PDB file of all heavy atoms in Angstrom:
ATOM      1  N   PHE V   1      45.112  52.421   7.235  1.00 94.00           N
ATOM      2  CA  PHE V   1      44.707  52.481   5.816  1.00 94.00           C
ATOM      3  C   PHE V   1      45.300  53.684   5.250  1.00 94.00           C
ATOM      4  O   PHE V   1      44.990  54.796   5.680  1.00 94.00           O
ATOM      5  CB  PHE V   1      43.233  52.304   5.610  1.00 94.00           C
ATOM      6  CG  PHE V   1      42.844  52.676   4.138  1.00 94.00           C
ATOM      7  CD1 PHE V   1      42.879  51.628   3.138  1.00 94.00           C
ATOM      8  CD2 PHE V   1      42.311  53.895   3.840  1.00 94.00           C
ATOM      9  CE1 PHE V   1      42.526  51.978   1.859  1.00 94.00           C
ATOM     10  CE2 PHE V   1      41.922  54.193   2.552  1.00 94.00           C
ATOM     11  CZ  PHE V   1      42.020  53.152   1.498  1.00 94.00           C
ATOM     12  N   ASN V   2      46.133  53.469   4.216  1.00 95.00           N
ATOM     13  CA  ASN V   2      46.628  54.687   3.336  1.00 95.00           C
ATOM     14  C   ASN V   2      46.668  54.296   1.867  1.00 95.00           C
ATOM     15  O   ASN V   2      46.964  53.147   1.632  1.00 95.00           O
ATOM     16  CB  ASN V   2      47.860  55.302   4.025  1.00 95.00           C
ATOM     17  CG  ASN V   2      49.009  54.454   3.680  1.00 95.00           C
ATOM     18  OD1 ASN V   2      49.586  54.255   2.521  1.00 95.00           O
ATOM     19  ND2 ASN V   2      49.613  53.792   4.732  1.00 95.00           N
ATOM     20  N   HIS V   3      46.348  55.218   1.077  1.00 94.00           N
ATOM     21  CA  HIS V   3      46.374  54.950  -0.293  1.00 94.00           C
ATOM     22  C   HIS V   3      47.067  56.033  -1.060  1.00 94.00           C
ATOM     23  O   HIS V   3      46.883  57.281  -0.740  1.00 94.00           O
ATOM     24  CB  HIS V   3      44.952  54.645  -0.809  1.00 94.00           C
ATOM     25  CG  HIS V   3      44.010  55.800  -0.398  1.00 94.00           C
ATOM     26  ND1 HIS V   3      43.542  55.965   0.796  1.00 94.00           N
ATOM     27  CD2 HIS V   3      43.277  56.624  -1.162  1.00 94.00           C
ATOM     28  CE1 HIS V   3      42.702  57.012   0.814  1.00 94.00           C
ATOM     29  NE2 HIS V   3      42.483  57.496  -0.410  1.00 94.00           N
ATOM     30  N   THR V   4      47.727  55.672  -2.140  1.00 96.00           N
ATOM     31  CA  THR V   4      48.352  56.646  -3.053  1.00 96.00           C
ATOM     32  C   THR V   4      48.001  56.383  -4.442  1.00 96.00           C
ATOM     33  O   THR V   4      48.047  55.343  -5.054  1.00 96.00           O
ATOM     34  CB  THR V   4      50.014  56.519  -2.964  1.00 96.00           C
ATOM     35  OG1 THR V   4      50.369  56.600  -1.534  1.00 96.00           O
ATOM     36  CG2 THR V   4      50.635  57.459  -3.754  1.00 96.00           C
ATOM     37  N   TYR V   5      47.442  57.489  -5.027  1.00 96.00           N
ATOM     38  CA  TYR V   5      46.937  57.321  -6.463  1.00 96.00           C
ATOM     39  C   TYR V   5      48.187  57.677  -7.366  1.00 96.00           C
ATOM     40  O   TYR V   5      48.987  58.619  -7.141  1.00 96.00           O
ATOM     41  CB  TYR V   5      45.817  58.375  -6.778  1.00 96.00           C
ATOM     42  CG  TYR V   5      44.668  58.055  -6.006  1.00 96.00           C
ATOM     43  CD1 TYR V   5      44.227  58.810  -4.843  1.00 96.00           C
ATOM     44  CD2 TYR V   5      43.826  57.010  -6.161  1.00 96.00           C
ATOM     45  CE1 TYR V   5      43.128  58.625  -4.113  1.00 96.00           C
ATOM     46  CE2 TYR V   5      42.665  56.719  -5.469  1.00 96.00           C
ATOM     47  CZ  TYR V   5      42.291  57.467  -4.419  1.00 96.00           C
ATOM     48  OH  TYR V   5      41.135  57.228  -3.671  1.00 96.00           O
ATOM     49  N   THR V   6      48.430  56.823  -8.303  1.00 94.00           N
ATOM     50  CA  THR V   6      49.596  56.861  -9.152  1.00 94.00           C
ATOM     51  C   THR V   6      49.364  57.149 -10.574  1.00 94.00           C
ATOM     52  O   THR V   6      50.337  57.336 -11.332  1.00 94.00           O
ATOM     53  CB  THR V   6      50.386  55.451  -9.022  1.00 94.00           C
ATOM     54  OG1 THR V   6      49.646  54.426  -9.424  1.00 94.00           O
ATOM     55  CG2 THR V   6      50.812  55.238  -7.477  1.00 94.00           C
ATOM     56  N   MET V   7      48.162  57.148 -11.102  1.00 94.00           N
ATOM     57  CA  MET V   7      47.799  57.327 -12.442  1.00 94.00           C
ATOM     58  C   MET V   7      46.446  57.885 -12.607  1.00 94.00           C
ATOM     59  O   MET V   7      45.545  57.547 -11.914  1.00 94.00           O
ATOM     60  CB  MET V   7      47.824  56.008 -13.293  1.00 94.00           C
ATOM     61  CG  MET V   7      47.746  56.117 -14.733  1.00 94.00           C
ATOM     62  SD  MET V   7      47.981  54.616 -15.656  1.00 94.00           S
ATOM     63  CE  MET V   7      47.588  55.102 -17.345  1.00 94.00           C
ATOM     64  N   PHE V   8      46.314  58.931 -13.610  1.00 94.00           N
ATOM     65  CA  PHE V   8      45.118  59.667 -13.779  1.00 94.00           C
ATOM     66  C   PHE V   8      44.848  59.729 -15.277  1.00 94.00           C
ATOM     67  O   PHE V   8      45.746  59.625 -16.113  1.00 94.00           O
ATOM     68  CB  PHE V   8      45.181  61.040 -13.252  1.00 94.00           C
ATOM     69  CG  PHE V   8      45.668  61.013 -11.831  1.00 94.00           C
ATOM     70  CD1 PHE V   8      46.966  60.942 -11.520  1.00 94.00           C
ATOM     71  CD2 PHE V   8      44.758  61.159 -10.770  1.00 94.00           C
ATOM     72  CE1 PHE V   8      47.428  60.963 -10.188  1.00 94.00           C
ATOM     73  CE2 PHE V   8      45.126  61.088  -9.493  1.00 94.00           C
ATOM     74  CZ  PHE V   8      46.468  60.989  -9.210  1.00 94.00           C
ATOM     75  N   THR V   9      43.508  59.817 -15.573  1.00 91.00           N
ATOM     76  CA  THR V   9      43.128  60.067 -16.994  1.00 91.00           C
ATOM     77  C   THR V   9      43.296  61.546 -17.313  1.00 91.00           C
ATOM     78  O   THR V   9      43.631  62.445 -16.439  1.00 91.00           O
ATOM     79  CB  THR V   9      41.714  59.667 -17.223  1.00 91.00           C
ATOM     80  OG1 THR V   9      40.796  60.613 -16.393  1.00 91.00           O
ATOM     81  CG2 THR V   9      41.375  58.244 -16.844  1.00 91.00           C
ATOM     82  N   GLU V  10      43.085  61.968 -18.536  1.00 88.00           N
ATOM     83  CA  GLU V  10      43.234  63.475 -18.867  1.00 88.00           C
ATOM     84  C   GLU V  10      42.395  64.324 -18.126  1.00 88.00           C
ATOM     85  O   GLU V  10      42.694  65.471 -17.851  1.00 88.00           O
ATOM     86  CB  GLU V  10      43.128  63.542 -20.466  1.00 88.00           C
ATOM     87  CG  GLU V  10      44.174  62.918 -21.269  1.00 88.00           C
ATOM     88  CD  GLU V  10      43.902  63.181 -22.774  1.00 88.00           C
ATOM     89  OE1 GLU V  10      42.850  63.698 -23.088  1.00 88.00           O
ATOM     90  OE2 GLU V  10      44.713  62.761 -23.575  1.00 88.00           O
ATOM     91  N   SER V  11      41.207  63.715 -17.745  1.00 90.00           N
ATOM     92  CA  SER V  11      40.198  64.486 -16.977  1.00 90.00           C
ATOM     93  C   SER V  11      40.623  64.640 -15.381  1.00 90.00           C
ATOM     94  O   SER V  11      39.880  65.227 -14.677  1.00 90.00           O
ATOM     95  CB  SER V  11      38.854  63.953 -17.157  1.00 90.00           C
ATOM     96  OG  SER V  11      38.807  62.622 -16.589  1.00 90.00           O
ATOM     97  N   GLY V  12      41.646  63.898 -14.982  1.00 92.00           N
ATOM     98  CA  GLY V  12      42.027  63.870 -13.626  1.00 92.00           C
ATOM     99  C   GLY V  12      41.467  62.785 -12.805  1.00 92.00           C
ATOM    100  O   GLY V  12      41.654  62.738 -11.534  1.00 92.00           O
ATOM    101  N   MET V  13      40.749  61.777 -13.381  1.00 94.00           N
ATOM    102  CA  MET V  13      40.066  60.729 -12.675  1.00 94.00           C
ATOM    103  C   MET V  13      41.142  59.607 -12.394  1.00 94.00           C
ATOM    104  O   MET V  13      41.979  59.250 -13.199  1.00 94.00           O
ATOM    105  CB  MET V  13      39.081  59.951 -13.568  1.00 94.00           C
ATOM    106  CG  MET V  13      38.370  58.863 -12.862  1.00 94.00           C
ATOM    107  SD  MET V  13      37.078  58.093 -13.906  1.00 94.00           S
ATOM    108  CE  MET V  13      38.025  57.381 -15.200  1.00 94.00           C
ATOM    109  N   PRO V  14      41.332  59.269 -10.998  1.00 95.00           N
ATOM    110  CA  PRO V  14      42.347  58.312 -10.721  1.00 95.00           C
ATOM    111  C   PRO V  14      41.954  56.900 -11.185  1.00 95.00           C
ATOM    112  O   PRO V  14      40.844  56.557 -11.017  1.00 95.00           O
ATOM    113  CB  PRO V  14      42.377  58.377  -9.121  1.00 95.00           C
ATOM    114  CG  PRO V  14      41.016  58.857  -8.783  1.00 95.00           C
ATOM    115  CD  PRO V  14      40.622  59.769  -9.860  1.00 95.00           C
ATOM    116  N   VAL V  15      42.975  56.218 -11.767  1.00 94.00           N
ATOM    117  CA  VAL V  15      42.735  54.867 -12.348  1.00 94.00           C
ATOM    118  C   VAL V  15      43.660  53.901 -11.718  1.00 94.00           C
ATOM    119  O   VAL V  15      43.531  52.749 -11.959  1.00 94.00           O
ATOM    120  CB  VAL V  15      42.749  54.949 -13.797  1.00 94.00           C
ATOM    121  CG1 VAL V  15      41.535  55.708 -14.402  1.00 94.00           C
ATOM    122  CG2 VAL V  15      44.015  55.546 -14.351  1.00 94.00           C
ATOM    123  N   ARG V  16      44.683  54.273 -10.996  1.00 94.00           N
ATOM    124  CA  ARG V  16      45.610  53.333 -10.419  1.00 94.00           C
ATOM    125  C   ARG V  16      45.870  53.842  -8.974  1.00 94.00           C
ATOM    126  O   ARG V  16      45.999  55.003  -8.717  1.00 94.00           O
ATOM    127  CB  ARG V  16      46.837  53.217 -11.113  1.00 94.00           C
ATOM    128  CG  ARG V  16      46.809  52.327 -12.382  1.00 94.00           C
ATOM    129  CD  ARG V  16      48.080  52.189 -13.153  1.00 94.00           C
ATOM    130  NE  ARG V  16      47.970  51.466 -14.355  1.00 94.00           N
ATOM    131  CZ  ARG V  16      48.892  51.419 -15.388  1.00 94.00           C
ATOM    132  NH1 ARG V  16      49.939  52.028 -15.146  1.00 94.00           N
ATOM    133  NH2 ARG V  16      48.609  50.651 -16.502  1.00 94.00           N
ATOM    134  N   ALA V  17      46.097  52.812  -8.036  1.00 95.00           N
ATOM    135  CA  ALA V  17      46.356  53.217  -6.658  1.00 95.00           C
ATOM    136  C   ALA V  17      47.110  52.114  -6.039  1.00 95.00           C
ATOM    137  O   ALA V  17      46.884  51.010  -6.298  1.00 95.00           O
ATOM    138  CB  ALA V  17      45.088  53.512  -5.881  1.00 95.00           C
ATOM    139  N   LYS V  18      47.910  52.555  -4.948  1.00 95.00           N
ATOM    140  CA  LYS V  18      48.590  51.520  -4.072  1.00 95.00           C
ATOM    141  C   LYS V  18      47.919  51.767  -2.815  1.00 95.00           C
ATOM    142  O   LYS V  18      47.890  52.833  -2.177  1.00 95.00           O
ATOM    143  CB  LYS V  18      50.064  51.822  -4.074  1.00 95.00           C
ATOM    144  CG  LYS V  18      50.783  50.891  -3.113  1.00 95.00           C
ATOM    145  CD  LYS V  18      52.322  51.153  -3.133  1.00 95.00           C
ATOM    146  CE  LYS V  18      53.014  50.139  -2.277  1.00 95.00           C
ATOM    147  NZ  LYS V  18      54.513  50.403  -2.282  1.00 95.00           N
ATOM    148  N   VAL V  19      47.472  50.652  -2.069  1.00 94.00           N
ATOM    149  CA  VAL V  19      46.862  50.688  -0.859  1.00 94.00           C
ATOM    150  C   VAL V  19      47.584  49.842   0.220  1.00 94.00           C
ATOM    151  O   VAL V  19      48.007  48.720  -0.133  1.00 94.00           O
ATOM    152  CB  VAL V  19      45.404  50.094  -0.943  1.00 94.00           C
ATOM    153  CG1 VAL V  19      44.791  49.926   0.449  1.00 94.00           C
ATOM    154  CG2 VAL V  19      44.485  50.974  -1.838  1.00 94.00           C
ATOM    155  N   ASN V  20      48.017  50.509   1.322  1.00 95.00           N
ATOM    156  CA  ASN V  20      48.674  49.842   2.466  1.00 95.00           C
ATOM    157  C   ASN V  20      47.549  49.551   3.486  1.00 95.00           C
ATOM    158  O   ASN V  20      46.969  50.527   3.947  1.00 95.00           O
ATOM    159  CB  ASN V  20      49.835  50.588   2.955  1.00 95.00           C
ATOM    160  CG  ASN V  20      50.866  50.821   1.987  1.00 95.00           C
ATOM    161  OD1 ASN V  20      51.267  49.889   1.222  1.00 95.00           O
ATOM    162  ND2 ASN V  20      51.441  52.065   1.741  1.00 95.00           N
ATOM    163  N   LEU V  21      47.536  48.324   3.971  1.00 95.00           N
ATOM    164  CA  LEU V  21      46.472  48.024   4.980  1.00 95.00           C
ATOM    165  C   LEU V  21      47.155  47.271   6.188  1.00 95.00           C
ATOM    166  O   LEU V  21      48.147  46.451   5.957  1.00 95.00           O
ATOM    167  CB  LEU V  21      45.528  47.061   4.356  1.00 95.00           C
ATOM    168  CG  LEU V  21      44.419  47.532   3.489  1.00 95.00           C
ATOM    169  CD1 LEU V  21      43.742  46.444   2.641  1.00 95.00           C
ATOM    170  CD2 LEU V  21      43.479  48.488   4.138  1.00 95.00           C
ATOM    171  N   THR V  22      46.658  47.620   7.297  1.00 96.00           N
ATOM    172  CA  THR V  22      47.064  46.880   8.554  1.00 96.00           C
ATOM    173  C   THR V  22      45.757  46.420   9.248  1.00 96.00           C
ATOM    174  O   THR V  22      44.882  47.124   9.520  1.00 96.00           O
ATOM    175  CB  THR V  22      47.872  47.691   9.431  1.00 96.00           C
ATOM    176  OG1 THR V  22      49.028  48.207   8.855  1.00 96.00           O
ATOM    177  CG2 THR V  22      48.217  46.949  10.790  1.00 96.00           C
ATOM    178  N   PHE V  23      45.703  45.069   9.534  1.00 95.00           N
ATOM    179  CA  PHE V  23      44.488  44.493  10.148  1.00 95.00           C
ATOM    180  C   PHE V  23      44.951  43.991  11.590  1.00 95.00           C
ATOM    181  O   PHE V  23      46.139  43.695  11.729  1.00 95.00           O
ATOM    182  CB  PHE V  23      44.025  43.194   9.397  1.00 95.00           C
ATOM    183  CG  PHE V  23      43.686  43.440   7.990  1.00 95.00           C
ATOM    184  CD1 PHE V  23      44.516  43.563   7.000  1.00 95.00           C
ATOM    185  CD2 PHE V  23      42.356  43.634   7.641  1.00 95.00           C
ATOM    186  CE1 PHE V  23      44.305  43.665   5.666  1.00 95.00           C
ATOM    187  CE2 PHE V  23      41.963  43.806   6.393  1.00 95.00           C
ATOM    188  CZ  PHE V  23      42.932  43.867   5.329  1.00 95.00           C
ATOM    189  N   LYS V  24      44.045  43.996  12.474  1.00 93.00           N
ATOM    190  CA  LYS V  24      44.315  43.316  13.777  1.00 93.00           C
ATOM    191  C   LYS V  24      43.282  42.346  13.994  1.00 93.00           C
ATOM    192  O   LYS V  24      42.097  42.498  13.801  1.00 93.00           O
ATOM    193  CB  LYS V  24      44.296  44.503  14.939  1.00 93.00           C
ATOM    194  CG  LYS V  24      44.640  44.019  16.302  1.00 93.00           C
ATOM    195  CD  LYS V  24      44.940  45.131  17.264  1.00 93.00           C
ATOM    196  CE  LYS V  24      46.232  45.734  16.961  1.00 93.00           C
ATOM    197  NZ  LYS V  24      46.779  46.627  17.941  1.00 93.00           N
ATOM    198  N   SER V  25      43.704  41.216  14.415  1.00 91.00           N
ATOM    199  CA  SER V  25      42.827  39.971  14.499  1.00 91.00           C
ATOM    200  C   SER V  25      41.761  40.165  15.631  1.00 91.00           C
ATOM    201  O   SER V  25      42.033  40.779  16.641  1.00 91.00           O
ATOM    202  CB  SER V  25      43.674  38.678  14.713  1.00 91.00           C
ATOM    203  OG  SER V  25      44.185  38.750  15.992  1.00 91.00           O
ATOM    204  N   LEU V  26      40.655  39.393  15.349  1.00 83.00           N
ATOM    205  CA  LEU V  26      39.740  39.459  16.472  1.00 83.00           C
ATOM    206  C   LEU V  26      39.655  38.042  17.059  1.00 83.00           C
ATOM    207  O   LEU V  26      39.573  37.074  16.432  1.00 83.00           O
ATOM    208  CB  LEU V  26      38.311  39.732  15.858  1.00 83.00           C
ATOM    209  CG  LEU V  26      38.060  41.024  15.255  1.00 83.00           C
ATOM    210  CD1 LEU V  26      36.770  41.165  14.621  1.00 83.00           C
ATOM    211  CD2 LEU V  26      38.145  42.100  16.338  1.00 83.00           C
ATOM    212  N   ILE V  27      39.832  38.000  18.338  1.00 68.00           N
ATOM    213  CA  ILE V  27      39.941  36.704  19.070  1.00 68.00           C
ATOM    214  C   ILE V  27      38.929  36.793  20.150  1.00 68.00           C
ATOM    215  O   ILE V  27      38.856  37.734  20.889  1.00 68.00           O
ATOM    216  CB  ILE V  27      41.332  36.429  19.689  1.00 68.00           C
ATOM    217  CG1 ILE V  27      42.336  36.611  18.609  1.00 68.00           C
ATOM    218  CG2 ILE V  27      41.433  35.194  20.371  1.00 68.00           C
ATOM    219  CD1 ILE V  27      43.844  36.448  19.022  1.00 68.00           C
ATOM    220  N   SER V  28      38.241  35.747  20.398  1.00 53.00           N
ATOM    221  CA  SER V  28      37.227  35.672  21.456  1.00 53.00           C
ATOM    222  C   SER V  28      37.935  35.482  22.805  1.00 53.00           C
ATOM    223  O   SER V  28      38.987  34.898  22.808  1.00 53.00           O
ATOM    224  CB  SER V  28      36.225  34.528  21.310  1.00 53.00           C
ATOM    225  OG  SER V  28      36.857  33.252  21.450  1.00 53.00           O
ATOM    226  N   PRO V  29      37.380  35.786  23.999  1.00 49.00           N
ATOM    227  CA  PRO V  29      37.983  35.628  25.244  1.00 49.00           C
ATOM    228  C   PRO V  29      38.454  34.157  25.444  1.00 49.00           C
ATOM    229  O   PRO V  29      39.499  33.926  26.087  1.00 49.00           O
ATOM    230  CB  PRO V  29      37.013  36.180  26.298  1.00 49.00           C
ATOM    231  CG  PRO V  29      36.188  37.093  25.512  1.00 49.00           C
ATOM    232  CD  PRO V  29      36.040  36.626  24.140  1.00 49.00           C
ATOM    233  N   ASP V  30      37.697  33.167  25.072  1.00 49.00           N
ATOM    234  CA  ASP V  30      37.987  31.813  25.302  1.00 49.00           C
ATOM    235  C   ASP V  30      39.253  31.361  24.513  1.00 49.00           C
ATOM    236  O   ASP V  30      40.065  30.542  24.768  1.00 49.00           O
ATOM    237  CB  ASP V  30      36.749  30.886  24.754  1.00 49.00           C
ATOM    238  CG  ASP V  30      35.574  31.032  25.727  1.00 49.00           C
ATOM    239  OD1 ASP V  30      35.877  31.327  26.927  1.00 49.00           O
ATOM    240  OD2 ASP V  30      34.476  30.646  25.321  1.00 49.00           O
ATOM    241  N   ASP V  31      39.412  32.081  23.318  1.00 52.00           N
ATOM    242  CA  ASP V  31      40.565  31.717  22.447  1.00 52.00           C
ATOM    243  C   ASP V  31      41.837  32.253  23.026  1.00 52.00           C
ATOM    244  O   ASP V  31      42.960  31.793  22.627  1.00 52.00           O
ATOM    245  CB  ASP V  31      40.378  32.236  20.968  1.00 52.00           C
ATOM    246  CG  ASP V  31      39.249  31.522  20.280  1.00 52.00           C
ATOM    247  OD1 ASP V  31      38.893  30.470  20.746  1.00 52.00           O
ATOM    248  OD2 ASP V  31      38.616  32.109  19.309  1.00 52.00           O
ATOM    249  N   THR V  32      41.765  33.187  23.857  1.00 47.00           N
ATOM    250  CA  THR V  32      43.038  33.982  24.441  1.00 47.00           C
ATOM    251  C   THR V  32      43.562  33.095  25.486  1.00 47.00           C
ATOM    252  O   THR V  32      44.742  33.257  26.023  1.00 47.00           O
ATOM    253  CB  THR V  32      42.680  35.320  24.887  1.00 47.00           C
ATOM    254  OG1 THR V  32      41.697  35.219  25.987  1.00 47.00           O
ATOM    255  CG2 THR V  32      42.092  36.155  23.800  1.00 47.00           C
ATOM    256  N   ARG V  33      42.846  32.076  26.030  1.00 46.00           N
ATOM    257  CA  ARG V  33      43.438  31.201  27.054  1.00 46.00           C
ATOM    258  C   ARG V  33      44.644  30.482  26.617  1.00 46.00           C
ATOM    259  O   ARG V  33      44.757  29.938  25.530  1.00 46.00           O
ATOM    260  CB  ARG V  33      42.429  30.260  27.662  1.00 46.00           C
ATOM    261  CG  ARG V  33      41.322  30.918  28.357  1.00 46.00           C
ATOM    262  CD  ARG V  33      40.155  30.001  28.648  1.00 46.00           C
ATOM    263  NE  ARG V  33      38.999  30.693  29.297  1.00 46.00           N
ATOM    264  CZ  ARG V  33      37.785  30.123  29.564  1.00 46.00           C
ATOM    265  NH1 ARG V  33      37.725  28.857  29.303  1.00 46.00           N
ATOM    266  NH2 ARG V  33      36.849  30.845  30.084  1.00 46.00           N
ATOM    267  N   ARG V  34      45.749  30.493  27.358  1.00 45.00           N
ATOM    268  CA  ARG V  34      46.872  29.796  27.050  1.00 45.00           C
ATOM    269  C   ARG V  34      46.710  28.256  27.079  1.00 45.00           C
ATOM    270  O   ARG V  34      46.038  27.731  27.835  1.00 45.00           O
ATOM    271  CB  ARG V  34      48.065  30.159  27.900  1.00 45.00           C
ATOM    272  CG  ARG V  34      48.371  31.731  27.866  1.00 45.00           C
ATOM    273  CD  ARG V  34      49.002  31.930  26.570  1.00 45.00           C
ATOM    274  NE  ARG V  34      49.136  33.458  26.346  1.00 45.00           N
ATOM    275  CZ  ARG V  34      49.660  33.857  25.342  1.00 45.00           C
ATOM    276  NH1 ARG V  34      50.065  33.297  24.273  1.00 45.00           N
ATOM    277  NH2 ARG V  34      49.789  35.348  25.179  1.00 45.00           N
ATOM    278  N   LYS V  35      47.463  27.529  26.191  1.00 43.00           N
ATOM    279  CA  LYS V  35      47.373  26.077  26.244  1.00 43.00           C
ATOM    280  C   LYS V  35      48.006  25.591  27.586  1.00 43.00           C
ATOM    281  O   LYS V  35      47.619  24.364  27.926  1.00 43.00           O
ATOM    282  CB  LYS V  35      48.126  25.576  25.059  1.00 43.00           C
ATOM    283  CG  LYS V  35      47.494  25.807  23.767  1.00 43.00           C
ATOM    284  CD  LYS V  35      48.277  25.127  22.566  1.00 43.00           C
ATOM    285  CE  LYS V  35      47.516  25.441  21.256  1.00 43.00           C
ATOM    286  NZ  LYS V  35      48.279  24.806  20.107  1.00 43.00           N
ATOM    287  N   SER V  36      48.946  26.308  28.089  1.00 42.00           N
ATOM    288  CA  SER V  36      49.458  25.866  29.402  1.00 42.00           C
ATOM    289  C   SER V  36      49.262  26.904  30.351  1.00 42.00           C
ATOM    290  O   SER V  36      50.157  27.758  30.623  1.00 42.00           O
ATOM    291  CB  SER V  36      50.983  25.626  29.239  1.00 42.00           C
ATOM    292  OG  SER V  36      51.272  24.547  28.281  1.00 42.00           O
ATOM    293  N   PRO V  37      48.040  27.046  30.971  1.00 47.00           N
ATOM    294  CA  PRO V  37      47.765  28.068  31.935  1.00 47.00           C
ATOM    295  C   PRO V  37      48.475  27.958  33.179  1.00 47.00           C
ATOM    296  O   PRO V  37      49.049  26.879  33.478  1.00 47.00           O
ATOM    297  CB  PRO V  37      46.251  28.031  32.074  1.00 47.00           C
ATOM    298  CG  PRO V  37      45.907  26.629  31.859  1.00 47.00           C
ATOM    299  CD  PRO V  37      46.984  26.091  30.769  1.00 47.00           C
ATOM    300  N   PHE V  38      48.344  28.980  34.099  1.00 48.00           N
ATOM    301  CA  PHE V  38      49.046  28.806  35.377  1.00 48.00           C
ATOM    302  C   PHE V  38      48.440  27.606  36.092  1.00 48.00           C
ATOM    303  O   PHE V  38      47.211  27.416  36.070  1.00 48.00           O
ATOM    304  CB  PHE V  38      48.921  30.058  36.252  1.00 48.00           C
ATOM    305  CG  PHE V  38      49.657  31.205  35.744  1.00 48.00           C
ATOM    306  CD1 PHE V  38      49.007  32.413  35.309  1.00 48.00           C
ATOM    307  CD2 PHE V  38      50.949  31.205  35.679  1.00 48.00           C
ATOM    308  CE1 PHE V  38      49.688  33.465  34.716  1.00 48.00           C
ATOM    309  CE2 PHE V  38      51.730  32.359  35.089  1.00 48.00           C
ATOM    310  CZ  PHE V  38      50.970  33.418  34.741  1.00 48.00           C
ATOM    311  N   GLU V  39      49.214  26.849  36.845  1.00 50.00           N
ATOM    312  CA  GLU V  39      48.657  25.774  37.680  1.00 50.00           C
ATOM    313  C   GLU V  39      47.754  26.387  38.793  1.00 50.00           C
ATOM    314  O   GLU V  39      48.107  27.419  39.237  1.00 50.00           O
ATOM    315  CB  GLU V  39      49.754  24.999  38.368  1.00 50.00           C
ATOM    316  CG  GLU V  39      49.345  23.712  39.033  1.00 50.00           C
ATOM    317  CD  GLU V  39      50.570  23.001  39.495  1.00 50.00           C
ATOM    318  OE1 GLU V  39      51.653  23.134  39.045  1.00 50.00           O
ATOM    319  OE2 GLU V  39      50.301  22.096  40.399  1.00 50.00           O
TER     320      GLU V  39
END
């Protein structure tokens, strides 16, 4: 997560920002089994 503030009011309050996000999926152990497992 990183964010950059790009606009401020005269008092210095940030009012615009760009946020970059990276998520990693959550998978249960059962879901990780391959459709074609080793024989």
Side-chain angles (χ1 to χ4, degrees):
F1 167 78
N2 70 70
H3 52 293
T4 303
Y5 296 107
T6 59
M7 184 175 176
F8 307 84
T9 63
E10 292 181 356
S11 64
M13 180 177 68
V15 290
R16 282 182 185 167
K18 181 181 179 181
V19 172
N20 296 315
L21 286 168
T22 300
F23 304 81
K24 187 160 286 190
S25 66
L26 293 175
I27 306 174
S28 68
D30 289 339
D31 293 336
T32 61
R33 294 174 183 170
R34 298 290 173 180
K35 291 183 179 179
S36 299
F38 293 119
E39 190 175 339

